[in-house]
Short mmCIF file of all heavy atoms in Angstrom, two decimals:
data_model
loop_
_atom_site.label_atom_id
_atom_site.label_comp_id
_atom_site.label_asym_id
_atom_site.label_seq_id
_atom_site.Cartn_x
_atom_site.Cartn_y
_atom_site.Cartn_z
N CYS A 320 -10.70 25.44 19.88
CA CYS A 320 -10.10 24.56 18.87
C CYS A 320 -10.78 23.21 19.01
O CYS A 320 -10.21 22.27 19.54
CB CYS A 320 -8.60 24.45 19.11
SG CYS A 320 -7.82 23.26 18.04
N SER A 321 -12.03 23.14 18.58
CA SER A 321 -12.86 21.98 18.93
C SER A 321 -12.37 20.67 18.31
O SER A 321 -12.59 19.61 18.87
CB SER A 321 -14.31 22.24 18.53
OG SER A 321 -14.37 22.55 17.16
N SER A 322 -11.72 20.74 17.15
CA SER A 322 -11.32 19.47 16.53
C SER A 322 -9.97 18.99 17.06
O SER A 322 -9.55 17.89 16.79
CB SER A 322 -11.24 19.63 15.01
OG SER A 322 -10.16 20.47 14.68
N CYS A 323 -9.28 19.85 17.85
CA CYS A 323 -7.93 19.47 18.31
C CYS A 323 -7.92 18.19 19.12
O CYS A 323 -7.01 17.39 19.01
CB CYS A 323 -7.31 20.59 19.13
SG CYS A 323 -7.02 22.07 18.18
N GLU A 324 -8.94 18.02 19.97
CA GLU A 324 -8.92 16.83 20.83
C GLU A 324 -9.07 15.56 20.00
O GLU A 324 -8.44 14.54 20.28
CB GLU A 324 -10.03 16.90 21.88
CG GLU A 324 -9.87 15.75 22.87
CD GLU A 324 -10.76 15.86 24.08
OE1 GLU A 324 -11.76 16.61 24.03
OE2 GLU A 324 -10.46 15.18 25.06
N GLU A 325 -9.87 15.64 18.95
CA GLU A 325 -10.03 14.49 18.07
C GLU A 325 -8.68 14.17 17.40
O GLU A 325 -8.27 13.03 17.31
CB GLU A 325 -11.07 14.77 16.99
CG GLU A 325 -12.27 15.59 17.44
CD GLU A 325 -13.10 14.90 18.49
OE1 GLU A 325 -13.73 13.90 18.15
OE2 GLU A 325 -13.13 15.36 19.64
N ASP A 326 -8.01 15.24 16.93
CA ASP A 326 -6.72 15.05 16.28
C ASP A 326 -5.73 14.42 17.24
O ASP A 326 -4.98 13.51 16.89
CB ASP A 326 -6.15 16.41 15.82
CG ASP A 326 -7.06 17.08 14.79
OD1 ASP A 326 -8.05 16.45 14.39
OD2 ASP A 326 -6.78 18.22 14.40
N LEU A 327 -5.73 14.93 18.47
CA LEU A 327 -4.80 14.44 19.48
C LEU A 327 -5.02 12.94 19.70
O LEU A 327 -4.06 12.16 19.74
CB LEU A 327 -5.02 15.21 20.79
CG LEU A 327 -4.12 14.86 21.97
CD1 LEU A 327 -3.85 16.14 22.78
CD2 LEU A 327 -4.71 13.81 22.88
N PHE A 328 -6.27 12.54 19.82
CA PHE A 328 -6.63 11.14 20.07
C PHE A 328 -6.14 10.25 18.93
O PHE A 328 -5.48 9.23 19.14
CB PHE A 328 -8.16 11.07 20.20
CG PHE A 328 -8.71 9.68 20.38
CD1 PHE A 328 -8.88 9.15 21.65
CD2 PHE A 328 -9.10 8.93 19.29
CE1 PHE A 328 -9.41 7.88 21.82
CE2 PHE A 328 -9.63 7.66 19.45
CZ PHE A 328 -9.79 7.13 20.73
N ILE A 329 -6.45 10.65 17.70
CA ILE A 329 -6.09 9.84 16.54
C ILE A 329 -4.57 9.75 16.40
O ILE A 329 -4.01 8.68 16.17
CB ILE A 329 -6.74 10.42 15.26
CG1 ILE A 329 -8.25 10.15 15.30
CG2 ILE A 329 -6.13 9.83 14.00
CD1 ILE A 329 -9.09 11.01 14.39
N LEU A 330 -3.90 10.90 16.59
CA LEU A 330 -2.44 10.91 16.46
C LEU A 330 -1.75 10.15 17.59
O LEU A 330 -0.71 9.53 17.38
CB LEU A 330 -1.93 12.35 16.40
CG LEU A 330 -2.05 13.01 15.03
CD1 LEU A 330 -1.65 14.47 15.10
CD2 LEU A 330 -1.20 12.28 13.99
N PHE A 331 -2.33 10.21 18.79
CA PHE A 331 -1.74 9.51 19.93
C PHE A 331 -1.61 8.02 19.62
O PHE A 331 -0.55 7.42 19.81
CB PHE A 331 -2.62 9.71 21.17
CG PHE A 331 -2.11 9.01 22.40
CD1 PHE A 331 -1.21 9.64 23.25
CD2 PHE A 331 -2.54 7.72 22.72
CE1 PHE A 331 -0.73 8.99 24.39
CE2 PHE A 331 -2.06 7.06 23.85
CZ PHE A 331 -1.15 7.70 24.68
N PHE A 332 -2.70 7.43 19.11
CA PHE A 332 -2.67 5.99 18.82
C PHE A 332 -1.88 5.69 17.54
O PHE A 332 -1.22 4.66 17.44
CB PHE A 332 -4.09 5.42 18.78
CG PHE A 332 -4.67 5.27 20.15
CD1 PHE A 332 -5.53 6.22 20.67
CD2 PHE A 332 -4.31 4.20 20.96
CE1 PHE A 332 -6.03 6.10 21.97
CE2 PHE A 332 -4.81 4.07 22.26
CZ PHE A 332 -5.67 5.02 22.75
N MET A 333 -1.96 6.59 16.59
CA MET A 333 -1.19 6.37 15.36
C MET A 333 0.31 6.36 15.65
O MET A 333 1.05 5.50 15.15
CB MET A 333 -1.52 7.45 14.32
CG MET A 333 -0.99 7.11 12.95
SD MET A 333 -1.24 8.48 11.80
CE MET A 333 -2.93 8.25 11.35
N GLU A 334 0.74 7.29 16.48
CA GLU A 334 2.17 7.33 16.84
C GLU A 334 2.56 6.08 17.62
O GLU A 334 3.63 5.52 17.41
CB GLU A 334 2.47 8.60 17.65
CG GLU A 334 2.58 9.83 16.77
CD GLU A 334 2.55 11.15 17.55
OE1 GLU A 334 2.55 11.10 18.80
OE2 GLU A 334 2.55 12.20 16.91
N GLN A 335 1.69 5.67 18.51
CA GLN A 335 1.93 4.44 19.29
C GLN A 335 2.09 3.25 18.34
O GLN A 335 3.01 2.45 18.45
CB GLN A 335 0.73 4.24 20.22
CG GLN A 335 0.82 3.05 21.13
CD GLN A 335 1.96 3.15 22.13
OE1 GLN A 335 2.14 4.16 22.78
NE2 GLN A 335 2.75 2.11 22.22
N ASN A 336 1.16 3.14 17.38
CA ASN A 336 1.19 2.02 16.42
C ASN A 336 2.43 2.09 15.54
O ASN A 336 3.08 1.07 15.28
CB ASN A 336 -0.08 2.04 15.55
CG ASN A 336 -1.34 1.88 16.39
OD1 ASN A 336 -1.28 1.43 17.52
ND2 ASN A 336 -2.47 2.28 15.84
N ASN A 337 2.75 3.29 15.07
CA ASN A 337 3.93 3.45 14.22
C ASN A 337 5.20 3.02 14.96
O ASN A 337 6.09 2.40 14.38
CB ASN A 337 4.07 4.90 13.76
CG ASN A 337 3.04 5.27 12.69
OD1 ASN A 337 2.32 4.41 12.20
ND2 ASN A 337 2.96 6.54 12.34
N ARG A 338 5.24 3.38 16.24
CA ARG A 338 6.42 3.05 17.05
C ARG A 338 6.59 1.53 17.16
O ARG A 338 7.68 1.00 17.05
CB ARG A 338 6.24 3.67 18.44
CG ARG A 338 7.50 3.78 19.26
CD ARG A 338 7.23 4.79 20.36
NE ARG A 338 7.46 4.23 21.68
CZ ARG A 338 6.86 4.65 22.79
NH1 ARG A 338 5.97 5.61 22.74
NH2 ARG A 338 7.15 4.13 23.95
N ILE A 339 5.48 0.86 17.38
CA ILE A 339 5.52 -0.61 17.49
C ILE A 339 6.00 -1.23 16.18
O ILE A 339 6.92 -2.04 16.16
CB ILE A 339 4.12 -1.16 17.88
CG1 ILE A 339 3.80 -0.80 19.32
CG2 ILE A 339 4.04 -2.67 17.67
CD1 ILE A 339 2.39 -1.15 19.77
N PHE A 340 5.38 -0.82 15.07
CA PHE A 340 5.71 -1.45 13.80
C PHE A 340 7.11 -1.07 13.30
O PHE A 340 7.79 -1.87 12.68
CB PHE A 340 4.64 -1.16 12.75
CG PHE A 340 3.39 -1.95 12.97
CD1 PHE A 340 2.22 -1.34 13.40
CD2 PHE A 340 3.38 -3.33 12.79
CE1 PHE A 340 1.07 -2.08 13.63
CE2 PHE A 340 2.24 -4.08 13.02
CZ PHE A 340 1.09 -3.46 13.44
N GLN A 341 7.52 0.16 13.61
CA GLN A 341 8.87 0.60 13.24
C GLN A 341 9.90 -0.33 13.91
O GLN A 341 10.83 -0.82 13.26
CB GLN A 341 9.08 2.05 13.72
CG GLN A 341 10.36 2.70 13.22
CD GLN A 341 10.29 3.04 11.74
OE1 GLN A 341 9.35 3.67 11.28
NE2 GLN A 341 11.29 2.60 10.99
#
Side-chain angles (χ1 to χ4, degrees):
C320 173
S321 56
S322 69
C323 295
E324 188 170 18
E325 323 296 292
D326 298 355
L327 181 146
F328 176 90
I329 288 161
L330 279 174
F331 179 88
F332 285 98
M333 192 186 279
E334 282 166 5
Q335 182 64 48
N336 299 341
N337 286 352
R338 197 162 124 206
I339 289 174
F340 285 110
Q341 189 73 51

